[in-house]
Each structure stands twice: as structure tokens, then as C-alpha cells.
Amino acid sequence: MYRGESHLNNTNHPLLEPLALPNGANIKNRFFKSAMSEALGTDDHNSSPVLVTLYRTWAEGGTGLVVTGNVMIDRNALGESGNVVIEDERDLALLSEWAKAGTRNGTHLWMQLNHPGKQSPRTLSKTPVAPSAIPLSGSLKKFFNEPRALTEEEIQGLVTRFGKAASVAQKAGFTGVQIHAAHGYLISQFLSPYHNRRSDDWGGSLENRMRFLLEVYQEIRKQTGENFPIGIKLNSADFQRGGFTEEESLEVIRKLAQAGIDLIEISGGNYENPMMQGANVKESTKKREAYFLEFAAKVRSIVSTPLVVTGGFRSEKAMTDAVAQGEIDMVGIAKPLALIPDLPNQIFQGTYETIKLKPMKTGLKWLDKSASMLEIVWYEQQLARIGNSQSPKPDHSVWLALLHTITTNGTAVFKKRRG
């Protein structure tokens, strides 16, 4: 029986057990690489050789299921300038290279599909769209223009776009897709009564607010078929006054499970309250490492759909315990895989040492208030190193990372960025 130690080629390790999804697809182990911002797309928003190398590295590193950074469905709605966008099959050949590299070694590679809604920086969107014309609050106002409300026709068009992007990903060779419905992006905005104040069939009651998400799911299912895995990244809550609550999240999860969703990744917060980056986390939660295990237990009590929790996992023991005790089905990992891309292989070979991630600090209070921006810049450069066949650099200076980004992108680096 497993007692917390690792053994070379230990086939009894709980994290090495395969996972069967509801549609019959099999994931070779319990490691789930959660989406991270790469900003490595080309100027015309296509895949790039750097992405091909980066995802080949993760596939060869032993992760069972790898999820891409968010791929947008509309060239006029970007989360950041380096986004890959899928609107049609024009870039199918390059997408296929990405998929082929990322599915080596029996790895599942899922494309995360997203629309930023009003979280499209003012440098990229003069007039972003949203469920309602409600601007982002507080210090975020200066980074984003005020949105306009989507029309009924536009909403239906976006549903179709999600389905089309998924069908192109399937044709290119990606083995599944994940719908990004968390962190304050468009689908999350529809779910939130704070951000969605519509009075038509797309707003008001929870049933109406979840309509957009459910229609996106059904359209993807229609265009890809019953055997193509579809997952979702969903907030446990927005942690925002008047926003999306845990009770509402559980009801959305119940509906998605009934509809046939294959995998649920739990996260939380948005950029007005970034819980997904560990803000305001309780000490008891830190000791267990994972940020959303308490909510996962509530999900477990109502649905049997496979479940992933991302955020906070660092030690082999915490990862193993969460799976072995049945709290979750897959361990979601992001930042550690930017520094140890073969982390799963190291655990299975008994060579892994618990990673300690350093806080991003410059020593300047006004700049350190933008810690999330500093983190994203620093980790994006680690991903770029891997994609350029270089080793990650854990001791890389935050100042050098910031200087490189300003030199490359100008002061636009200080706009709010995706995590």
C-alpha cells in the first residue's frame, strides 16, 4: 500500500492510475496540466514553433492531460496580444503540428476555448463586449474600456463560434477541449448577477444566466460528437459582493453533469478578487496546499463527474493524498510545470523534491502591488525558454523579466494580464 514514498517504475502509485472519462476516453495518469498564459502565438494569432516545442516537452514529461493556454474564438476579442485564435480552418496545418507534438507519449492535449468579454485590455479593444454595460471596478478601470452589451444576434453568433473552434481543434488532432467559464471572462460574466444585469432570456434568474454556457456546451457537442471529450473550468464562486455564489456554482455543475460534461476543473475568483492566484487563502488551506478542496467535497456529494482541483499543489504527499482519498480525480498543476516540465516523471521515478516557488517582489511597494502582473510576466518567460529548447531558470531576476517585457512590449506590460 502506498505510504507517501516514491519508487522507480512504481505501477501502484495512485497518481499513475489511469482515469476513464464518462464518454469512454482514457487518461493515462492523474496529472492535469492546467492552462497558463503563454503569449507565444504569432502576430497573426496562429500557433508557433515555440508552442510546438513547449507542448512536446510537457507531453514527454509524463503529464496525462495537458490543457493549452486560452485560445480565443474571435480575432476582434483578445485577452492579450499573443493569443492564438481559431475562427475557421485557415491555420489547420500549424494547429496540427501543435496537436501532434502535444499528444506524444500517449498524452491527452485539450484546447482551452475562451472569449474575454470585457476583460480585453484597452490597448486591444476600443469597445469590448459583455452581457451588460457594466465596467470593471476599482483599479481595473484604467486597464479596460467600458463595455457595451451584446445583442441577441451576437450572443447566438458567439455560441456558433465556440462550436466551430472546437470542431477545428478536433480536426487538427487535439483530443478534447475545455470551456473557460471562470476568472471573469465572458462566460463567467454571464453567470454572475453582478456583471449580468440583462432583463431578457440571457439574464436575471440563474437558469437564464447559465443559458449561454449550456448552449456553448451543446453547440460544441453538436459539432464534435458524443465521443469527443469536453471539459470545463468553473469558479466555485467569484468571491465578489453580488457575484456568482457557491450555491449557484453547484447548481450549474449539476446541470452540466446531467448534460454529459466529461471533466470539471474547479477554480475561483476573478481579477477583481484573484483567489485563483492564492489571494486571501486561509492558513488551513495552505497546509493542505490545494485552494478549493472544501468546495470539491460539496461537488462530490452531488455529481460523479471526474473532478480536478488546481491551485496550490506542491508536494507529492498532498497530490497523492487528494487522489488516494477520493477527494479529486486529477491533480491540477500550473506554475510548478513551468519550472519542472517533467514533474510527473520525477515523481514516478522517485527523484522529485517539493518545489518552493519564490514570491515576485521588486522591493518597490507601488510595483509590488501588481504582483499578479509580475508573476505572469516571469512565468511567461519561463515558458518561452522551454519553447526555445532552453531549461527553465528558477533564479531568473524579476527585474530582468520586467525589463525584457518592457523592451519587447513597451509600457503596455502594465495593463492587466491573464493568469
Side-chain angles (χ1 to χ4, degrees):
M1 189 172 93
Y2 180 78
R3 299 184 184 278
E5 72 278 8
S6 289
H7 297 290
L8 186 63
N9 298 322
N10 182 1
T11 56
N12 294 320
H13 199 301
L15 297 176
L16 191 54
E17 297 229 348
L19 175 67
L21 300 183
N23 70 348
N26 282 288
I27 312 298
K28 68 180 181 180
N29 62 42
R30 303 307 180 95
F31 282 102
F32 176 101
K33 180 257 152 191
S34 188
M36 284 183 280
S37 172
E38 310 114 350
L40 294 174
T42 64
D43 290 342
D44 57 351
H45 307 297
N46 204 343
S47 176
S48 66
V50 182
L51 282 170
V52 171
T53 301
L54 173 62
Y55 280 81
R56 181 187 297 116
T57 303
W58 275 323
E60 293 175 345
T63 300
L65 197 167
V66 175
V67 181
T68 72
N70 57 353
V71 171
M72 296 300 176
I73 61 167
D74 186 343
R75 279 179 162 77
N76 294 315
L78 303 175
E80 54 192 330
S81 58
N83 285 149
V84 173
V85 179
I86 296 181
E87 294 179 316
D88 48 42
E89 295 185 13
R90 77 184 80 170
D91 302 321
L92 186 62
L94 290 171
L95 289 170
S96 296
E97 289 183 26
W98 187 6
K100 183 178 180 180
T103 54
R104 290 169 66 100
N105 196 28
T107 306
H108 267 258
L109 177 62
W110 292 12
M111 180 177 287
Q112 186 186 74
L113 299 178
N114 195 11
H115 186 294
K118 59 187 167 188
Q119 283 189 174
S120 182
R122 63 170 60 242
T123 53
L124 299 175
S125 293
K126 182 179 180 181
T127 308
V129 295
S132 304
I134 308 298
L136 290 165
S137 62
S139 62
L140 294 183
K141 284 185 177 181
K142 60 186 176 182
F143 298 109
F144 302 92
N145 287 320
E146 186 169 333
R148 66 169 178 81
L150 286 157
T151 67
E152 168 89 16
E153 183 179 10
E154 287 174 326
I155 292 172
Q156 294 288 3
L158 290 175
V159 169
T160 303
R161 279 179 177 272
F162 271 100
K164 179 62 177 179
S167 70
V168 174
Q170 180 184 36
K171 189 170 183 178
F174 289 81
T175 58
V177 294
Q178 183 189 62
I179 302 167
H180 196 341
H183 301 173
Y185 292 105
L186 183 64
I187 297 178
S188 177
Q189 291 163 29
F190 266 97
L191 290 170
S192 168
Y194 176 86
H195 294 286
N196 181 355
R197 304 183 192 179
R198 300 178 72 95
S199 57
D200 59 7
D201 291 341
W202 302 94
S205 67
L206 177 59
E207 182 180 4
N208 284 355
R209 284 183 278 120
M210 72 168 85
R211 180 183 169 194
F212 182 62
L213 167 57
L214 291 174
E215 292 207 8
V216 165
Y217 168 75
Q218 295 291 0
E219 183 66 21
I220 292 174
R221 184 63 76 199
K222 174 184 172 183
Q223 293 205 36
T224 61
E226 293 299 318
N227 296 324
F228 188 66
I230 303 173
I232 187 161
K233 185 173 194 139
L234 184 72
N235 276 356
S236 59
D238 291 347
F239 303 100
Q240 180 177 36
R241 186 181 298 276
F244 188 58
T245 67
E246 279 198 2
E247 291 73 19
E248 290 179 325
S249 183
L250 288 169
E251 184 57 27
V252 171
I253 287 170
R254 192 192 308 272
K255 292 289 187 182
L256 286 165
Q258 291 172 353
I261 200 81
D262 292 299
L263 188 66
I264 299 167
E265 181 187 5
I266 299 298
S267 192
N270 54 35
Y271 285 99
E272 291 164 301
N273 194 350
M275 286 291 292
M276 65 285 193
Q277 294 182 339
N280 305 316
V281 173
K282 295 185 297 184
E283 191 60 35
S284 60
T285 299
K286 289 180 180 178
K287 289 180 180 178
R288 298 186 74 198
E289 297 189 13
Y291 300 153
F292 305 106
L293 281 178
E294 290 181 9
F295 181 76
K298 298 177 183 179
V299 175
R300 275 282 198 241
S301 70
I302 64 169
V303 302
S304 59
T305 307
L307 188 60
V308 181
V309 165
T310 300
F313 281 117
R314 300 292 180 264
S315 72
E316 178 183 355
K317 184 179 187 306
M319 298 177 201
T320 304
D321 286 349
V323 171
Q325 295 170 11
E327 295 178 289
I328 56 176
D329 297 287
M330 299 195 77
V331 175
I333 304 176
K335 294 174 187 174
L337 282 168
L339 297 176
I340 309 176
D342 64 340
L343 187 153
N345 282 349
Q346 288 191 20
I347 285 182
F348 298 141
Q349 294 166 1
T351 60
Y352 175 68
E353 296 182 5
T354 300
I355 187 171
K356 294 182 179 179
L357 303 180
K358 67 177 184 179
M360 298 295 149
K361 300 289 184 181
T362 64
L364 297 178
K365 289 184 179 180
W366 66 270
L367 188 53
D368 290 341
K369 287 181 180 179
S370 300
S372 60
M373 179 274 293
L374 293 173
E375 276 201 354
I376 293 167
V377 164
W378 192 87
Y379 280 99
E380 283 179 345
Q381 290 180 30
Q382 300 295 336
L383 301 185
R385 288 183 63 85
I386 299 171
N388 283 295
S389 301
Q390 298 174 312
S391 297
K393 194 174 182 181
D395 60 348
H396 186 48
S397 164
V398 177
W399 277 110
L400 289 178
L402 190 58
L403 179 61
H404 172 80
T405 303
I406 293 174
T407 302
T408 304
N409 302 308
T411 55
V413 66
F414 289 101
K415 69 179 183 290
K416 198 71 178 176
R417 297 284 298 284
R418 173 188 181 272

